[in-house]
Amino acid sequence: MRHNRIVLAMSGGSGAIYGIRLLERLLAAGIQIHLCMSGAAEQVLRDELDVALDEFDEHAFLNEVRDVLDGYGFRPQDALLRGRLVRHDIGDWSAGIASGSFPTDGMVVCPCSMNTVAAIAHGISTNLIQRAADVHLKERRPLVLVPRETPLSPIQLENLARCARAGAIVLPASPGWYHRPRTLADLVDFIVARILDHLSVPHTLSRRWGESTPGTSTDPGA
Ligand SMILES: Cc1cc2nc3c(=O)[nH]c(=O)nc-3n(C[C@H](O)[C@H](O)[C@H](O)COP(=O)(O)O)c2cc1C
């Protein structure tokens, strides 16, 4: 059953633009987004995209989102008005997403820091992102993690493997090049398209391998 409701968490990994483009595409799809950002994510948003969230105001935030996407060459987006944005404070344990009784179609952590990966891997729930991820795993709902780090230590690799074994989709922010990207927007959309696929949200963001190039013999996978 679809509830048209997805948890979008942003933690303090690099690549805030992936989360921002994803937010816009989810709103464009008419989804109700439950947004939660860690303190580190807010710092990364400031550092990478000049987005400040000191006093969260939905209208001002969506305007900033529009400007950021414009700057990257995306064409936004009255689509921002289609869905619904619900923001939760990182320490708000009374938020619905802290409980398995609150139905969602899934959760994505994008970007996902190694700190948040470690917490999820070990069932630690000291903030709302970690708790909501824990809930999605225990309820056997889709949980997509978009980690960004390189190189990876054995500890980080083991934590990612633990998450994958517990049912999470580990989808590193590592775009392919076989679709011949020309712009930053192409690279961002490669990842956002894969995330939407795993959340079962229809989109037309990227050409699918084999669909518009008939006769090709090898499929490199995602
Ligand atoms: C600009 C910036 C970029 C960062 N990039 C990464 C990154 O790519 N991967 C990562 O795991 N941590 C990165 N960090 C460090 C995390 O933000 C830090 O470990 C933090 O404790 C994560 O907390 P959180 O998981 O609650 O968001 C970055 C921090 C900043 C300020």
Side-chain angles (χ1 to χ4, degrees):
M1 182 167 74
R2 273 207 82 86
H3 305 282
N4 259 8
R5 185 186 281 157
I6 284 174
V7 180
L8 169 57
M10 294 176 71
S11 67
S14 184
I17 185 62
Y18 291 112
I20 292 296
R21 173 63 165 165
L22 179 60
L23 178 139
E24 183 256 334
R25 284 294 89 197
L26 290 172
L27 288 177
I31 305 274
Q32 182 185 97
I33 299 176
H34 287 257
L35 177 68
C36 188
M37 293 184 194
S38 69
E42 293 188 11
Q43 187 177 336
V44 174
L45 268 174
R46 247 190 323 270
D47 288 358
E48 294 187 342
L49 302 175
D50 283 332
V51 171
L53 286 168
D54 306 331
E55 291 293 322
F56 183 79
D57 169 83
E58 181 176 343
H59 183 68
F61 175 65
L62 290 180
N63 275 338
E64 290 200 76
V65 166
R66 208 173 266 119
D67 289 347
V68 165
L69 294 173
D70 259 336
Y72 269 76
F74 294 108
R75 264 172 241 94
Q77 297 91 18
D78 297 333
L80 283 170
L81 305 172
R82 269 185 227 141
R84 196 172 150 234
L85 186 62
V86 181
R87 170 126 196 261
H88 300 290
D89 190 86
I90 188 75
D92 183 5
W93 301 112
S94 63
I97 61 173
S99 166
S101 65
F102 185 80
T104 74
D105 300 308
M107 171 170 177
V108 52
V109 189
C110 175
C112 188
S113 71
M114 288 301 127
N115 174 64
T116 292
V117 166
I120 296 170
H122 294 274
I124 293 169
S125 296
T126 52
N127 68 35
L128 184 59
I129 293 177
Q130 297 162 7
R131 170 62 186 164
D134 209 30
V135 163
H136 279 73
L137 288 179
K138 85 182 173 70
E139 299 294 331
R140 305 291 195 266
R141 293 190 207 140
L143 172 65
V144 181
L145 305 179
V146 186
R148 214 270 3 143
E149 190 50 276
T150 197
L152 290 160
S153 73
I155 294 170
Q156 293 164 335
L157 288 165
E158 279 168 21
N159 285 340
L160 288 165
R162 281 178 72 95
C163 291
R165 280 197 297 272
I169 306 287
V170 176
L171 197 157
S174 148
W177 292 79
Y178 55 82
H179 66 320
R180 302 192 184 190
R182 290 283 178 270
T183 64
L184 289 176
D186 291 340
L187 289 168
V188 170
D189 273 354
F190 182 97
I191 297 301
V192 171
R194 298 283 76 76
I195 298 168
L196 293 172
D197 284 346
H198 281 282
L199 294 171
S200 304
V201 175
H203 67 88
T204 54
L205 276 191
S206 61
R207 185 164 57 81
R208 291 178 190 279
W209 187 261
E211 280 186 354
S212 51
T213 50
T216 24
S217 56
T218 43
D219 184 338

